[in-house]
Amino acid sequence: MRLSHFWERMHEHFGEAYAESLARDHVIDALGSRTIEQALADGIGAKEVWRAVCEDFDLPATAR
């Protein structure tokens, strides 16, 4: 998954403003207790981060 596609999905599911806030502030245990921004900056792939977001927010299977 490209990073641009990751952000498209984030904006689609959470709205643009909330997606940005979520990425900056919400810590996800599955990402090593990192925020989305930290995980991406640390080199964790966008696809893995997206899967962690889906699990953490219990998004429907169609989103995954």
Side-chain angles (χ1 to χ4, degrees):
M1 169 185 284
R2 284 189 251 155
L3 194 54
S4 60
H5 191 220
F6 169 84
W7 284 111
E8 285 174 16
R9 286 185 171 191
M10 286 289 290
H11 294 157
E12 176 185 332
H13 289 281
F14 299 105
E16 192 167 330
Y18 185 60
E20 301 296 329
S21 174
L22 189 73
R24 185 177 51 251
D25 301 326
H26 185 76
V27 174
I28 299 177
D29 289 338
L31 297 175
S33 296
R34 296 179 179 101
T35 65
I36 293 166
E37 284 184 351
Q38 289 170 331
L40 293 169
D42 288 346
I44 298 176
K47 188 173 188 175
E48 184 177 344
V49 174
W50 179 246
R51 286 181 180 155
V53 169
C54 289
E55 287 294 319
D56 206 54
F57 288 90
D58 198 27
L59 295 181
T62 56
R64 299 167 195 222

